[in-house]
Amino acid sequence: MAIKHILKLLLKHKSTSLLITLQIAIAVTIVGNTSFISYRTLQNWLIPSNIAEEQIINVYTRVFDKKVDQGALIERDLQNLRALPEVEYASYAANELVLATVNGRNFAHDTLDKDKQGEHVALFSQTQQGVEALGITVTQGRNFYETEYIFSDSEQAKRASVVIISRALANTLFGEQSALGQTVYLHNARLPYRVIGIYADMMLGESAVYNNSWYHSAVIPEAHYAQNSQVNYILKVRTHNSEKTLESIESLLFNEEGRIVKQVEYAARAKKRLWDGRSTFAFIMMGISGIAILVTGVGIVALVSFSISVRTKEIGVLRALGASQARVMRALLVENSILAFAGIAIGLFAAMWLNQYFVTNLRIQGLIVPWLAAIVAFAVWLLSACAVYIPARKAARIAPAQVTKTS
């Protein structure tokens, strides 16, 4: 049957044709987006953290007694923690904990131009031993001098003037130029810090990880306490993922009155918690894809069956004029393929637009992958072909005699 004639038939039954096209377009939009999001999310599982996850410990505490001198408390805690035989290094953590954000989003800028968007960064404000507790390896430049550390109860006090940054952040901000000696602007006020060192890439704060800036991090030698009730620490221990070590740390911290110990956990646990939520989301997306495919298949079968039921006489005439079963069946499959291709084209366009909207406005991880889009398109076309096969086969078997009986 000529394509021109098939197109005339589709226009003749435009309501059914439109519904089938719309059904396929919606399926491609849903399946395409869920596939992009799921693939991107699960792909991120494979990104190495490059940190000693089973040796770095995040400590969360909260001071509820306002009479407690937080500065003195922190100094006592650090002294006592460093005295534990299991603890190798200990540092007060002002804002970020390893793979577990405590405070907001940070940006690093290479200019004071407020119209230029900064780079997402995990910003670690640390006391002495902070660099060692994070397991940082300085590959260019130097570490902080003891005299460069600032410990204060006020953010209005003197600020540090130097910073060490990750290699990934250095490359993003300064490209092929050397980052050493360059100025990086941090915090909302865009305060200047001179880069004195660059360290090997590590996956640190969750805020940067969430924004796909996996290794964008920076460490400054300043810590301002008493801004809120949070008093947190980062430790590096000699043991690997030992529950006994966690118990020792908790017991020591519980001895101080006026505060509660909220959580003591390895970075490995924080990372698992970070990815557990995302993997669940990815699997939910896969489930939605499966439901969309099932509904699409059932819908196409129902619509094609209905279309054929109102075209019984038309198909019978074709059979009476000498059209073979194979030719009738082929014509119906071509009709469906035309509708499927139209639906797939509309669906892919809608999927790409929706994906861009999600990534830009809702911070959902997703990325348009050409080969994955091609697989989705082929899978939906194959589904529609399979869904139309049974009704088409039944229609092709219509005997010419049926036309005579109903005439």
Side-chain angles (χ1 to χ4, degrees), residues 167-212:
R167 184 186 297 118
L169 182 60
N171 291 339
T172 301
L173 290 177
F174 305 109
E176 296 181 358
Q177 299 180 46
S178 173
L180 294 178
Q182 301 275 13
T183 300
V184 174
Y185 301 93
L186 303 171
H187 310 295
N188 291 333
R190 300 202 183 194
L191 301 177
Y193 292 82
R194 181 169 54 87
V195 179
I196 62 167
I198 299 170
Y199 55 87
D201 288 338
M202 303 166 64
M203 185 188 293
L204 293 175
E206 180 184 351
S207 60
V209 173
Y210 190 87
N211 290 284
N212 299 342

Side-chain angles (χ1 to χ4, degrees), residues 182-251:
Q182 301 275 13
T183 300
V184 174
Y185 301 93
L186 303 171
H187 310 295
N188 291 333
R190 300 202 183 194
L191 301 177
Y193 292 82
R194 181 169 54 87
V195 179
I196 62 167
I198 299 170
Y199 55 87
D201 288 338
M202 303 166 64
M203 185 188 293
L204 293 175
E206 180 184 351
S207 60
V209 173
Y210 190 87
N211 290 284
N212 299 342
S213 303
W214 309 107
Y215 303 120
H216 284 192
S217 57
V219 181
I220 52 177
E222 67 180 54
H224 301 285
Y225 60 91
Q227 307 307 306
N228 52 48
S229 60
Q230 293 281 355
V231 175
N232 305 303
Y233 303 99
I234 293 176
L235 315 177
K236 187 176 182 184
V237 297
R238 294 180 174 86
T239 53
H240 288 257
N241 208 20
S242 169
E243 291 296 323
K244 185 177 179 180
T245 299
L246 297 182
E247 291 173 5
S248 298
I249 295 169
E250 287 180 359
S251 297

Side-chain angles (χ1 to χ4, degrees), residues 8 24 95 117 154 179 185 230 271 283 294 302 307 356 360:
K8 286 182 179 180
I24 293 173
N95 294 319
Q117 177 69 42
S154 173
Y185 301 93
Q230 293 281 355
K271 183 182 179 183
F283 290 131
L294 179 63
S307 175
Q356 184 63 33
T360 305

Side-chain angles (χ1 to χ4, degrees), residues 111-314:
T111 176
L112 287 174
D113 183 1
K114 293 186 177 181
D115 293 328
K116 186 177 180 180
Q117 177 69 42
E119 296 295 328
H120 289 279
V121 62
L123 179 61
F124 284 78
S125 301
Q126 300 287 292
T127 56
Q128 285 89 343
Q129 295 193 9
V131 171
E132 293 79 6
L134 291 169
I136 284 174
T137 301
V138 178
T139 58
Q140 297 179 48
R142 63 173 177 85
N143 200 343
F144 302 120
Y145 296 139
E146 290 292 321
T147 55
E148 290 173 326
Y149 284 96
I150 293 175
F151 185 64
S152 169
D153 64 350
S154 173
E155 290 188 346
Q156 306 305 317
K158 181 182 177 182
R159 290 275 188 172
S161 60
V162 292
V163 62
I164 59 175
I165 64 178
S166 66
R167 184 186 297 118
L169 182 60
N171 291 339
T172 301
L173 290 177
F174 305 109
E176 296 181 358
Q177 299 180 46
S178 173
L180 294 178
Q182 301 275 13
T183 300
V184 174
Y185 301 93
L186 303 171
H187 310 295
N188 291 333
R190 300 202 183 194
L191 301 177
Y193 292 82
R194 181 169 54 87
V195 179
I196 62 167
I198 299 170
Y199 55 87
D201 288 338
M202 303 166 64
M203 185 188 293
L204 293 175
E206 180 184 351
S207 60
V209 173
Y210 190 87
N211 290 284
N212 299 342
S213 303
W214 309 107
Y215 303 120
H216 284 192
S217 57
V219 181
I220 52 177
E222 67 180 54
H224 301 285
Y225 60 91
Q227 307 307 306
N228 52 48
S229 60
Q230 293 281 355
V231 175
N232 305 303
Y233 303 99
I234 293 176
L235 315 177
K236 187 176 182 184
V237 297
R238 294 180 174 86
T239 53
H240 288 257
N241 208 20
S242 169
E243 291 296 323
K244 185 177 179 180
T245 299
L246 297 182
E247 291 173 5
S248 298
I249 295 169
E250 287 180 359
S251 297
L252 185 150
L253 295 173
F254 271 124
N255 291 332
E256 286 282 353
E257 296 183 355
R259 65 109 172 269
I260 58 174
V261 180
K262 296 177 61 181
Q263 195 170 30
V264 179
E265 68 172 2
Y266 285 96
R269 177 71 185 105
K271 183 182 179 183
K272 184 177 184 300
R273 188 174 65 249
L274 170 65
W275 292 117
D276 277 353
R278 295 189 183 187
S279 62
T280 299
F281 180 69
F283 290 131
I284 289 174
M285 292 294 99
M286 290 181 183
I288 292 173
S289 295
I291 293 172
I293 288 174
L294 179 63
V295 170
T296 300
V298 172
I300 291 173
V301 169
L303 287 170
V304 172
S305 296
F306 171 76
S307 175
I308 290 174
S309 68
V310 299
R311 294 168 59 184
T312 301
K313 185 175 179 180
E314 195 176 282

